[in-house]
Amino acid sequence: ETGVTQTPRHLVMGMTNKKSLKCEQHLGHNAMYWYKQSAKKPLELMFVYSLEERVENNSVPSRFSPECPNSSHLFLHLHTLQPEDSALYLCASSQDLLSPLHFGNGTRLTVT
Amino acid sequence: GQNIDQPTEMTATEGAIVQINCTYQTSGFNGLFWYQQHAGEAPTFLSYNVLDGLEEKGRFSSFLSRSKGYSYLLLKELQMKDSASYLCAVREDTDKLIFGTGTRLQVFP
């Protein structure tokens, strides 16, 4: 149990589908993050939320849409994805923006 | 621009000591983190350095030299379970943590 739970663990979707990734943290943290991890590439920061306000949008295509309804939950809505979007999507939380991150186990996404 | 360099792969023997280096060039610096990631699992936090010097935590130590843009992670008394990827990350600004590509360490008996 990492304290950060992501669902689903695996997702296969077509390019015309709409799906959502869910993240929940049980640590009482105030900041939440989405990262993308592709093979042989560094973890790429996608979005940062602090106290439910988005503080970073790292030039991510609009086919990825984050939602943070409260400090414990974070969603990533996906639509009309491309095959190159296939990757491991990691959610993380931290007490504040300066503290270490606690990661979930990720959602392995395959776009066909 | 921003750049974080680590060796891609390293191998070592059980019981030995291994040092994983990380060099960075970033526009700002608010601390350096090391994470461990086993295959198919979440990265887990190992250490944090914001001032120059050595931070020791059990079998793991991390060193930072801000003037040289350099850090290393030292793993002592290696165990088979230490086989994993080790990620170096620099907090460039308050809300931006930049990761290196990671060093895959294989420990052999």
Side-chain angles (χ1 to χ4, degrees):
Chain A
E1 173 59 55
T2 63
V4 179
T5 304
Q6 289 186 244
T7 54
R9 290 296 306 273
H10 301 273
L11 177 63
V12 178
M13 59 187 288
M15 292 167 62
T16 57
N17 290 161
K18 287 185 181 181
K19 296 285 185 184
S20 295
L21 310 185
K22 179 183 175 183
C23 177
E24 183 175 1
Q25 57 100 358
H26 315 276
L27 300 168
H29 287 169
N30 292 316
M32 295 188 78
Y33 310 74
W34 280 116
Y35 277 87
K36 176 183 178 183
Q37 189 173 36
S38 304
K40 305 201 173 169
K41 292 175 76 174
L43 276 165
E44 299 170 52
L45 177 64
M46 298 177 74
F47 302 104
V48 181
Y49 278 82
S50 178
L51 297 172
E52 299 146 53
E53 300 262 338
R54 191 191 304 182
V55 297
E56 178 74 30
N57 178 355
N58 218 28
S59 302
V60 178
S62 60
R63 57 186 184 269
F64 295 91
S65 174
E67 179 190 0
C68 187
N70 55 62
S71 60
S72 299
H73 293 86
L74 186 65
F75 295 90
L76 188 63
H77 304 298
L78 317 170
H79 68 98
T80 58
L81 294 191
Q82 306 296 313
E84 61 264 29
D85 296 323
S86 298
L88 181 67
Y89 288 84
L90 289 163
C91 173
S93 70
S94 61
Q95 182 60 51
D96 51 53
L97 293 176
L98 294 178
S99 296
L101 304 184
H102 294 252
F103 285 89
N105 282 325
T107 294
R108 172 69 63 185
L109 174 68
T110 303
V111 182
T112 60
Chain B
Q2 48 189 237
N3 197 36
I4 298 178
D5 286 315
Q6 321 177 219
T8 305
E9 290 193 2
M10 297 183 72
T11 59
T13 306
E14 200 173 13
I17 299 173
V18 72
Q19 177 174 312
I20 302 174
N21 295 325
C22 172
T23 57
Y24 63 89
Q25 291 176 301
T26 54
S27 58
F29 183 83
N30 277 297
L32 186 143
F33 298 80
W34 283 95
Y35 286 83
Q36 180 191 61
Q37 186 176 24
H38 286 99
E41 296 184 15
T44 55
F45 168 70
L46 287 179
S47 70
Y48 170 62
N49 296 70
V50 67
L51 299 175
D52 290 351
L54 189 68
E55 294 283 339
E56 297 188 75
K57 196 186 282 189
R59 294 188 299 115
F60 294 2
S61 304
S62 57
F63 172 83
L64 174 67
S65 168
R66 287 171 297 170
S67 62
K68 294 181 181 176
Y70 167 69
S71 173
Y72 67 71
L73 180 70
L74 194 70
L75 293 77
K76 302 176 188 174
E77 301 168 22
L78 278 174
Q79 301 175 11
M80 297 296 291
K81 67 178 182 179
D82 297 328
S83 294
S85 287
Y86 292 86
L87 312 178
C88 173
V90 172
R91 190 178 294 286
E92 187 178 54
D93 290 313
T94 54
D95 57 0
K96 189 169 285 188
L97 189 63
I98 312 297
F99 281 83
T101 52
T103 298
R104 185 163 163 251
L105 174 67
Q106 286 186 282
V107 180
F108 293 100

